Amino acid sequence: MNSAITSCEHPDPSHFLTALGGLVAVPLILAKDLCLQHDPLTQSYLISNIFFVSGICTLLQVFFGVRLPILQGGTFAFVAPSLAMLSLPSWRCPEWTLNASQVNISSPEFTEEWQKRIRELQGVIMVASCVQMLVGFSGLIGFLMRFIGPLTIAPTISLVALPLFDSAGNDAGVHWGISTMTIFLIVLFSQYLKNIAVPVPIYGRKEKCHTSKFYLFQVFPVLLGLCISWFLCFVFTVTNTFPSAPTAYGYLARTDTKGNVLSQAPWFRFPYPGQWGLPTISLAGVFGIIAGVISSMVESVGDYYACARLVGAPPPPKHAINRGIGIEGLGCLLAGAWGTGNGTTSYSENVGALGITRVGSRMVIVAAGCVLLLMGVFGKIGAVFATIPTPVIGGMYLVMFGVISAVGISNLQYVDMNSSRNIFVFGFSIYCGLAIPNWVNKNPDKLQTGILQVDQVLQVLLTTGMFVGGFLGFLLDNTIPGSLEERGLLSWNQIQESEDTTKVSEIYNFPCGIGTKFCTSSCTRYLPFWPRLEHDGKEEMGVSQLTLVSQNSSGKRPKCATETRM
């Protein structure tokens, strides 16, 4: 397949546009349990926050982290433990916050209700992020990966999204016609029309004005589906096709139920750390988010290798992986401090966009990070996304969560699934990851040890499906006898073999000669995240120049490939 538009003069917008669906989804999922389902203005603030922090974390990762062109954004791995923590009796929303007629979003009482919950999320995310930074910067991630194989990763990632079917179904059920149409459009664009190229006019220095083929439907399936469904909801609202009675079926599909958000939201709003108050911490929340951190780290390591393969770079060395995970931990710390209600991780959607556009320039991701920063400051943008009708969001959830679950299962390609051992490990882990949280949610009074903090920790962990499934997968895979080939560890480790040392140094070392020309103290060689000097302490080639350009199927470089000089 020919590459999509790869203009040498202009950054490709597909990366941050592809990630918009996931970035917007996380705050909207958390809104109900934060008592914000009837406060779209605050929802818009959370969306702006996550845009802003994702921009900062993307720039940190590209310049000082793993240094691959990979976007950072909100993580679904933190959603399940966050919802589990907020479902504890002490954090459940009061009945009056569930009734729109009783909610006064400007009252101090209501403000305190949602702010104390997000402050709790802030605190536990910041503490758990310190664990991730420790694992990354200490090099412990390499040791852990020896015991974490596909049979641990598959149930863990699959169970990130599977338990969210109830939330997705409820939102879609607000108006099944609209949600079904949204699903149809996303599937149509992403699966049936993905190979259709659309001629797009572009301007270049050499050819001036000309047209080029752009795989529009393949790059923006979710965004196009949302926009078209949103527009149709607007038409049905203006024509009064949807009912105007708040209790009628389909009322929440109207676009004017949240229309006042656009007028209330400020044009510019600068997020800052501690804007919701001083963070609080609970032991149960910390343990729950740590489970999410582990899942996020495992998924990110896989994303690093996938990203390197797609852009034609050698597999990342250990010091780059350690830095990448450490910087992700720093990103989660910043996300907690800014009060997004979530952390950050490497975006698999962005990795997929790399495979489509065939351009692996760092400057493209730097530009995407800067755009996210601006979107976070421009308050009206968050307000626009907060007004998306509920069934449109529900349809997007059903598609997105299904894909995330499938991503987890795709890790089984490395495993011998003809083995009864492996079938048992995966099947038992998935089933228990669904059954145990369901039982605990229905029988919370059965977990009574007499110590409140222990009860809360057990309830949060045992109601987090990805923890239950991932723990069982890890335990069984490492205790039931099986060969490395049978367990998938042999083929799993083969993709992590390094290539030419010089090329690795060019791509994964620090920018501006840090570690090779500057900061070359002998003490740094003991740091697990510091680049290793070759050839008797001298780098044959520095990192002043770097070009990451993926190759097409014939192995040739695209005619108009974006180059990045660092």
Side-chain angles (χ1 to χ4, degrees), residues 177-196:
I178 295 299
S179 58
T180 302
M181 180 184 63
T182 305
I183 295 170
F184 170 77
L185 290 172
I186 295 175
V187 173
L188 176 68
F189 297 146
S190 65
Q191 303 302 321
Y192 293 97
L193 302 180
K194 61 181 179 181
N195 294 325
I196 296 179

Side-chain angles (χ1 to χ4, degrees), residues 51-73 327 330-331 334 344 362-374 511 566:
F51 282 157
F52 187 81
V53 175
S54 296
I56 294 176
C57 297
T58 296
L59 297 178
L60 287 174
Q61 189 69 271
V62 171
F63 286 114
F64 302 106
V66 72
R67 305 215 66 224
L68 286 168
I70 189 167
L71 202 74
Q72 303 293 294
I327 291 294
L330 177 60
L334 296 177
T344 60
R362 282 188 189 138
M363 288 310 296
V364 171
I365 305 301
V366 169
C370 293
V371 170
L372 286 172
L373 276 171
L374 293 175
M566 307 297 291

Side-chain angles (χ1 to χ4, degrees), residues 203-223:
Y203 179 84
R205 293 179 181 175
K206 295 182 179 179
E207 299 184 41
K208 301 301 180 182
C209 293
H210 62 285
T211 60
S212 180
K213 292 182 178 180
F214 180 45
Y215 291 88
L216 176 71
F217 303 114
Q218 194 174 34
V219 177
F220 306 134
V222 175
L223 191 64

